[in-house]
Amino acid sequence: MRVEKIANRQFLYITVIMLATVVFSTLPVLTTGNARQDAWASGLLAFAGVALFVNVIVGLGVHFPRCSVVQVSRKLLGNAAGGLVSLIILWSFLHLASLEVRIYAEMIIGGFLTETPLVFVVGAMIMVAVAAAYAGIEVIGRLVDLFFPLLIAMFLVSFFSLLFEAKFINLQPVLARGLGPVLESSYNTIAYSSYLMVLGMLIPNLTRPRKATASAFWGAAVAAFILVITAVLTVAVLGPEEGFRSVFPFFRSLRAIRVTEFLERTELLVIFAWGFSLFVALSTFIYCGGRGVAQLFNLKDYRPILLPMGVIWAALSVHSSPDMFEFRGLYLSYVFGAYGLFLVLFPYVFLWGGYLFRKMTGQNPEEERGEEKSAER
Amino acid sequence: MKILKKIRKLFNPGQKKYSAQTNMDNLDISQLRELTKKEKLTNNLETNLSLIRKYYGNSLGLQVRSINIGPHGIRAATVYVDGMIESSALEELNKALLIDTVKTGDIPKDEKKLISFIKDKIIISVETDEVNQLDELFDHVLYGDTALIIEGVATALLVDTKGWKTRQIVESDTETSIRGPREAFIESINDNLSLLRRRILVPQLWVEGFRVGSLTRTRVAMVYIKGLAGEGLLEEMRNRIGKIDADKIMESGDVEGFIEDSPFTILPLMLRTERPDRVEAALLEGQVAVFTDGTPFVLLAPATFFSMLQSPEDHFEKPPIGSFVRLLRYGAILMSTFLPGFYIAIVNFHPEMLPTPLFVSIAATREGVPFPIIVELLIMESVFEILREAGVRLPASIGPAMSIVGALVLGDAAISAGIVSPPVVIVVALTAIASFAVPNFALGIAGRIIRFIFIALGGIFGLFGIQLGIFILTVHLCSLRSFGVPYLAPAAPLILSDMKDFIVSTWVWQLTTRPRLTGFREPVRQSRRQARRYLKILPRKEGDEQDES
C-alpha cells in the first residue's frame, strides 16, 4: 500500500489544533493550581515543558523516519516488551480522545441541547471523526489546511471582542506570590503534552520526517502563544477569582461580551472553533489509534477496525464518569497532571532507554539516511 | 446416431454457427456487428456492392452510382448516404472521375496503380483514405464520406464529402458573459474544434480522436497542448476513454459518467462548458478537454471546486471588480447551501443568538402559522424547486403567467393566508437567487440538494447538526479527487503560489505561474519582469534576461 503523505505544514497545524483544544475546554493554567492572575506566566512555563516533551516524543521519532512509534518500540524493545509499551501509548489515544469528546459533549448539552442524551452527541462526534479517519491522513491533512485559517480567524475575532471588556488591572499584582503557584498551575498543562504522542504515529507520513521536530516545536509555540493571550484576556475580563471558578473560562468570558446590539454572543464562534479543533483532534486520535492497533497486530489495513474502535471510544467516553462534577475531578492537577505525565514518561523512558542502550552497545538502531533520501525522491 | 447427436448437443448447447449466408432476420444486433467486423472487401465490384446492400438492407438513404472510369471504361461505383454529404463536393468528385480520367488518357491498367493514380492525381478532395474492411467503410460512409469501389480492387477509396446542416454559432444561453467572446460551441465536433483551433495557433494543440459507443460510434476527441499537459494525465484520460464500453454516447454526460473519478458524489468532478474561451484558458493551464460529437458541452479535467466558481472573464475586468464578483460567488454558494439550515437551527433551537428585536419580529410573523418551521421551509423549498424545473420546460409564451402564479399566488397569497411566514419566503428567495449566482449549473444544483440535508440536520439537531453536516461535507470534499488533483486545491492542500488567483483575482501581469498541480511542466507562464515594471519596487536582476529567452 502506498504510504499516505502529509506536508510538514499540515503536521504543524495538527500540533497547534491538538493543543488548542486545551484552550477551549478547561484552560488549565487558570482553573487548576493557584496561579490566578499569573496564569499567563504558567502558560509560558507550560510552553517550556511542552517543548521539552516535543523533543522527547518527536525527537525519538525523527531517528526512524519510516516507522511509527509502535514499530519503533518493537524495534527497540523487542516484540513482547515493545508491544506492551505501545499498548500504553494506544491506551492514551483511546482515553484522551474519549475525555476530550466528553468535555465537549457536556458543554453542548449543558449550554444548548439540554434534552439530548449524552450518547448521541458523543456518538455523533466520534462517528464523524471515524469517517474522517477512514478517509485517511491525507484527507485529515487537507481538512486541517482548510480549518486552520478559520480557526485563527475565530481566535482573532474573539480576542478582538474580548478587548472591549478587558480590564487589565485584573492582572495585577504580577507574580506577587512568587513562582510556586505559577509552577503548580503549569504542571497540569504540561501533562497535556501526552496529546502530542499522536505525532509519533504521524512521522512516517511526513514528506520531510527529519524536519518533524522543528514543525512540532513551532506548532507548540503557536499554541502557547494562543494560550497565553487567552489567559491574559480571560483574566482581564472575568477577574482571577471568577475565572478560576468557571468550568469553561474562555467560553464564559466571551459570554460576558456585549459590545453592541449586533456583536453579542460571540461565544458561538468559540463553540464552532472548538468543534472544528475537536473534530480534527478526534480524527487524528482515531486514525493514529487504528493505525497503531493495526500495526501492533500486523493487520493489513486499519480501516475495518475503525468502526468497532469508535464504538469502544464512545462507550468509554459515556461511561468513564457518571456526571460532569465527577468528571471534573479527573482534571484536578494531582490527578490529570500525574496521569498525563505518566502516559508520556513511562513509554518514552523505556523507548529512549532502549535507543541509548542500543546506541551504546553499538547496534546502530537508526535507519540509514541514504536509503531514506533515495526513497524521498 | 440420434443418441450421439443428442449427447453432442448436451455438451455444447448454446453454440449456433452462423455464416454470412444466414438470414438477417434471425440475427441480433451484436451478432450483426460481429459479422460486419469480419467482412472484407473483395476484388469483385458486384460482390462488394451486394455485401454493402446486404448489411445496409433495404433502408433508405444509401446511394450507389455506377460509373465508368477512364478511356477504357473501368467499372466502378460511388457509395454515399443521402443527406450526409455536400452535393457540390460529390459533383466535383463525379466530374473528376467521369471527365478528368478520360481527358488524361494514360490511365494505368494495373489495379494497385490505378487506385493510387486516382487518389494522387484525380481527386481534388482534401482528405482521402483507403480501407478494405467493411465496418471501417461503414464508419466513414455513414459519417458523410463517399466510398469509391473499383472493379478488380479489394480496397475502397474514401473521399471526404461531409456536409450537413448545423446550427448557427450563437451566444450560449447557460454561460453568458458581460465582457468577453460571445460565441459558443454547437453540436458539431468539427465546428467546435475549429472554434478552439482559431484561438490557439500553435501546432502543439493536439487532438486525439476516438470512436466510442458500439452502436452510436460517436466521435470523441481529447484535446490538449502537447508539452504542457502532464503525460500521466494524458495517459490516464486515454485509458479511461478507451475503456468505455457502452452502446451509446449521446452527450458529454455519458462520457463524464464513464471517466470521472468517483461516481458516488453529487458534486461535478469535471467542468463542463460551452465557451471556447473557457476551454482555451483551461488548456493553457495544462488541463485536458474532451469534445463529444453531438453536444455543445465540452468537458475539462482535472477540475477543482474553486475552478467551478471562476470564469475567464474575471480577468477581463479590472482586478478589484473581478475579485468582488468572485467573492460574491463564494458568498452565494455558501448562502445557497447553508442559509435555510442556519435559519431553522437558530430560530428553532438557539433563539437567544438573535438580537432580541429581530427574534421578536420573527416570532410575531410566525404566529398563526399552522406548521412547524421545518415543514414550512421544506414546503417552500420544494415549491421553489418545482417552479424552477417547470420554468426550464416552459414554452416562452407561458413564462409571464408562470411568474404571476409563482410570485402572487404562492408567495403573497400563502403569506396572507397564514400558511407560511414571511421570513421563510425571504430565506427561500435569497437561497434561490444565490444558487443561480453560482456560474456552474451542476455545482449550483448540488448545493441546492445538499441544502435539503442541512435543513433536516438543522431542524433536528440545531447548530450541532449543522456542524456535523459541515464536517461530513468537508471530509467528503477533501477526499474527492479529479484525475489525481485534490478537489479543494489550492485551499486544501494549501498551495501558496496558486493563491493569488484563488479567492481574489489579481492583475494579469501578476499571474506569472500556472497552477502547480496541472501546469507543473512549464510553471512559468510569463516573465516576471513586466510585474516589476509596474510595481517598481523589485530590483532587476542579472538572471532575468535569460528568463525571458
Side-chain angles (χ1 to χ4, degrees):
Chain A
M1 225 173 93
R2 192 180 69 95
V3 180
E4 289 186 291
K5 286 287 176 198
I6 58 170
N8 280 40
R9 176 194 70 248
Q10 293 166 339
F11 183 71
L12 188 154
Y13 290 171
I14 289 178
T15 316
V16 177
I17 290 176
M18 294 296 265
L19 292 173
T21 50
V22 180
V23 176
F24 292 125
S25 55
T26 52
L27 200 64
V29 282
L30 185 61
T31 52
T32 65
N34 214 4
R36 301 292 199 274
Q37 70 274 23
D38 297 327
W40 55 271
S42 311
L44 288 179
L45 263 181
F47 169 58
V50 171
L52 185 74
F53 277 107
V54 162
N55 275 304
V56 168
I57 294 166
V58 184
L60 183 69
V62 293
H63 291 299
F64 303 92
R66 266 171 301 161
C67 288
S68 71
V69 64
V70 173
Q71 291 162 326
V72 168
S73 65
R74 292 169 85 174
K75 215 173 201 172
L76 290 178
L77 306 174
N79 258 344
L84 282 177
V85 164
S86 47
L87 264 186
I88 293 183
I89 296 174
L90 294 177
W91 162 256
S92 82
F93 297 163
L94 174 67
H95 196 202
L96 294 175
S98 68
L99 292 181
E100 196 63 12
V101 69
R102 176 68 185 267
I103 308 179
Y104 182 72
E106 291 287 355
M107 186 278 295
I108 290 281
I109 286 172
F112 301 96
L113 304 172
T114 42
E115 305 278 305
T116 311
L118 180 71
V119 65
F120 172 77
V121 179
V122 168
M125 283 309 285
I126 285 182
M127 283 309 128
V128 173
V130 163
Y134 195 89
I137 190 67
E138 275 182 5
V139 170
I140 298 176
R142 282 183 227 143
L143 276 177
V144 174
D145 264 342
L146 209 60
F147 283 156
F148 191 73
L150 293 178
L151 190 74
I152 295 295
M154 284 173 181
F155 269 124
L156 287 180
V157 171
S158 49
F159 289 160
F160 182 71
S161 53
L162 279 176
L163 275 179
F164 283 94
E165 294 275 322
K167 297 180 193 66
F168 288 101
I169 194 78
N170 283 338
L171 290 169
Q172 284 182 343
V174 177
L175 295 178
R177 285 165 293 144
L179 275 176
V182 174
L183 269 173
E184 192 192 336
S185 282
S186 65
Y187 172 55
N188 205 349
T189 313
I190 293 172
Y192 275 91
S193 45
S194 52
Y195 282 31
L196 295 182
M197 284 206 287
V198 288
L199 302 184
M201 286 297 298
L202 295 183
I203 284 169
N205 296 95
L206 288 182
T207 46
R208 282 174 301 161
R210 300 271 180 201
K211 299 266 168 68
T213 323
S215 308
F217 176 81
W218 284 112
V222 172
F225 184 68
I226 293 171
L227 176 70
V228 168
I229 291 186
T230 317
V232 166
L233 285 173
T234 309
V235 171
V237 170
L238 291 181
E241 282 309 317
E242 202 185 341
F244 173 68
R245 262 182 268 111
S246 54
V247 185
F248 306 115
F250 187 35
F251 184 53
R252 172 93 179 69
S253 62
L254 274 167
R255 210 160 226 194
I257 301 298
R258 194 170 184 277
V259 180
T260 58
E261 275 287 285
F262 217 73
L263 199 71
E264 54 182 352
R265 311 216 40 113
T266 35
E267 81 266 16
L268 186 70
L269 282 179
V270 175
I271 293 166
F272 270 106
W274 187 359
F276 284 160
S277 44
L278 173 77
F279 171 57
V280 169
L282 261 188
S283 18
T284 316
F285 269 130
I286 292 179
Y287 173 80
C288 292
R291 277 287 300 277
V293 171
Q295 283 170 359
L296 189 63
F297 296 106
N298 290 329
L299 303 182
K300 262 187 198 157
D301 193 8
Y302 69 95
R303 286 184 171 83
I305 56 172
L306 283 179
L307 203 61
M309 282 178 75
V311 174
I312 298 177
W313 244 291
L316 182 69
S317 177
V318 172
H319 292 292
S320 57
S321 54
D323 53 38
M324 187 60 192
F325 298 102
E326 202 161 310
F327 185 69
R328 275 199 84 196
L330 190 68
Y331 277 90
L332 295 175
S333 56
Y334 58 86
V335 182
F336 188 75
Y339 180 61
L341 287 182
F342 165 77
L343 283 182
V344 189
L345 283 178
F346 184 76
Y348 273 93
V349 161
F350 279 104
L351 289 178
W352 274 103
Y355 178 74
L356 293 176
F357 177 75
R358 297 220 167 195
K359 193 120 203 178
M360 275 189 272
T361 51
Q363 331 165 6
N364 182 23
E366 289 190 40
E367 287 175 31
E368 295 296 323
R369 263 169 191 268
E371 206 182 320
E372 172 231 328
K373 265 192 185 158
S374 65
E376 256 179 44
R377 264 173 227 155
Chain B
M1 287 307 278
K2 270 185 183 175
I3 303 170
L4 268 180
K5 267 184 187 174
K6 272 188 183 174
I7 292 172
R8 204 177 291 159
K9 246 187 186 175
L10 271 179
F11 279 102
N12 44 4
Q15 278 191 1
K16 267 190 242 164
K17 280 187 181 171
Y18 45 76
S19 62
Q21 272 74 43
T22 326
N23 187 2
M24 290 282 165
D25 298 349
N26 297 333
L27 293 179
D28 296 333
I29 177 70
S30 57
Q31 292 166 338
L32 283 172
R33 294 290 306 155
E34 277 306 309
L35 275 183
T36 323
K37 274 178 195 158
K38 280 179 195 154
E39 298 286 3
K40 278 192 175 175
L41 296 179
T42 60
N43 278 332
N44 192 329
L45 176 66
E46 290 308 318
T47 328
N48 286 342
L49 289 180
S50 66
L51 199 63
I52 294 172
R53 260 291 161 216
K54 191 175 104 192
Y55 283 99
Y56 199 79
N58 290 328
S59 71
L60 298 178
L62 189 77
Q63 305 283 336
V64 180
R65 188 187 195 286
S66 304
I67 47 175
N68 291 332
I69 301 177
H72 314 292
I74 302 167
R75 287 176 59 238
T78 53
V79 180
Y80 58 91
V81 175
D82 222 12
M84 299 290 286
I85 51 148
E86 198 177 339
S87 45
S88 62
L90 187 71
E91 270 165 30
E92 285 288 343
L93 175 68
N94 280 337
K95 183 170 157 260
L97 290 172
L98 291 172
I99 302 172
D100 296 356
T101 46
V102 179
K103 270 191 208 157
T104 36
D106 56 341
I107 206 158
K109 281 177 186 170
D110 180 36
E111 290 88 2
K112 291 252 170 78
K113 279 182 188 164
L114 172 68
I115 206 155
S116 66
F117 174 79
I118 292 176
K119 191 174 162 185
D120 297 340
K121 299 202 173 157
I122 303 293
I123 294 171
I124 322 160
S125 169
V126 194
E127 200 186 316
T128 54
D129 204 1
E130 289 174 43
V131 293
N132 49 18
Q133 295 275 349
L134 186 66
D135 67 321
E136 283 178 43
L137 182 129
F138 271 128
D139 268 354
H140 285 88
V141 169
L142 296 178
Y143 200 65
D145 288 350
T146 297
L148 174 67
I149 303 169
I150 303 167
E151 169 72 40
V153 184
T155 319
L157 194 63
L158 294 165
V159 186
D160 183 14
T161 50
K162 291 185 195 72
W164 51 77
K165 289 274 179 290
T166 54
R167 188 161 62 96
Q168 283 265 299
I169 293 175
V170 288
E171 197 177 347
S172 158
D173 284 337
T174 52
E175 282 178 277
T176 45
S177 67
I178 306 291
R179 175 171 183 182
R182 293 290 163 90
E183 58 188 8
F185 289 129
I186 57 169
E187 282 77 5
S188 154
I189 191 169
N190 288 337
D191 293 341
N192 290 350
L193 286 172
S194 97
L195 279 177
L196 181 68
R197 284 199 179 105
R198 256 179 264 158
R199 302 180 149 265
I200 303 176
L201 302 175
V202 287
Q204 279 72 32
L205 177 71
W206 281 26
V207 180
E208 281 180 31
F210 298 85
R211 278 287 185 108
V212 188
S214 61
L215 295 185
T216 56
R217 310 290 292 146
T218 312
R219 296 216 305 163
V220 171
M222 167 182 147
V223 185
Y224 54 91
I225 295 181
K226 185 73 181 171
L228 185 56
E231 284 298 325
L233 169 67
L234 297 179
E235 192 55 46
E236 185 65 33
M237 183 66 97
R238 227 171 266 142
N239 257 333
R240 290 192 192 178
I241 297 179
K243 276 183 188 155
I244 298 177
D245 179 17
D247 64 336
K248 66 159 175 60
I249 295 293
M250 290 163 64
E251 214 270 335
S252 58
D254 291 332
V255 180
E256 189 183 354
F258 278 109
I259 65 176
E260 69 186 344
D261 286 60
S262 36
F264 303 112
T265 173
I266 71 169
L267 294 149
L269 291 181
M270 293 178 84
L271 203 149
R272 73 191 72 161
T273 182
E274 280 187 88
R275 290 177 50 177
D277 55 330
R278 186 115 206 219
V279 177
E280 179 192 10
L283 292 187
L284 294 178
E285 293 187 344
Q287 297 181 18
V288 183
V290 178
F291 285 66
T292 313
D293 201 7
T295 175
F297 290 100
V298 172
L299 299 172
L300 298 175
T304 61
F305 181 77
F306 297 103
S307 69
M308 314 229 170
L309 294 171
Q310 291 170 3
S311 163
E313 73 195 65
D314 291 355
H315 294 299
F316 301 159
E317 294 286 352
K318 292 268 178 198
I321 301 168
S323 308
F324 176 67
V325 173
R326 206 175 267 185
L327 284 176
L328 274 185
R329 285 193 209 123
Y330 289 129
I333 188 155
L334 286 178
M335 198 157 141
S336 77
T337 315
F338 297 121
L339 182 70
F342 266 101
Y343 173 75
I344 189 168
I346 287 180
V347 174
N348 245 6
F349 288 89
H350 317 284
E352 74 276 6
M353 301 215 158
L354 295 171
T356 321
L358 180 59
F359 178 66
V360 168
S361 66
I362 288 178
T365 56
R366 281 201 39 78
E367 205 171 325
V369 175
F371 303 115
I373 193 161
I374 182 166
V375 176
E376 202 184 338
L377 251 179
L378 284 176
I379 289 176
M380 287 313 282
E381 289 285 358
S382 313
V383 164
F384 162 70
E385 290 296 323
I386 293 167
L387 274 178
R388 184 195 56 75
E389 184 60 24
V392 176
R393 317 274 160 230
L394 260 161
S397 51
I398 317 177
M402 179 80 174
S403 53
I404 290 171
V405 172
L408 288 182
V409 178
L410 288 168
D412 207 35
I415 290 173
S416 43
I419 293 173
V420 292
S421 60
V424 165
V425 176
I426 294 172
V427 165
V428 170
L430 268 179
T431 48
I433 294 166
S435 77
F436 288 118
V438 177
N440 188 301
F441 177 75
L443 189 65
I445 205 154
R448 283 211 293 272
I449 290 172
I450 294 171
R451 179 174 74 200
F452 280 98
I453 301 171
F454 275 97
I455 290 175
L457 282 172
I460 300 169
F461 306 121
L463 283 180
F464 180 68
I466 301 263
Q467 189 186 340
L468 285 181
I470 290 175
F471 291 158
I472 291 286
L473 183 64
T474 351
V475 168
H476 181 61
L477 282 173
C478 286
S479 58
L480 286 178
R481 277 172 183 268
S482 170
F483 285 83
V485 172
Y487 198 48
L488 286 184
L494 185 73
I495 299 167
L496 277 179
S497 59
D498 296 356
M499 273 297 184
K500 61 188 166 206
D501 190 28
F502 160 57
I503 292 178
V504 294
S505 76
T506 177
W507 282 268
V508 75
W509 40 263
Q510 277 217 316
L511 298 171
T512 49
T513 53
R514 295 197 165 84
R516 210 174 70 191
L517 292 172
T518 51
F520 56 90
R521 288 184 73 173
E522 188 84 14
V524 178
R525 75 189 320 175
Q526 57 197 22
S527 164
R528 290 197 174 86
R529 278 176 56 200
Q530 306 170 80
R532 295 208 177 108
R533 196 181 307 146
Y534 289 107
L535 293 173
K536 290 179 184 162
I537 42 171
L538 296 166
R540 187 171 289 187
K541 282 181 195 160
E542 295 292 309
D544 285 345
E545 302 298 324
Q546 293 162 356
D547 265 12
E548 208 176 29
S549 62

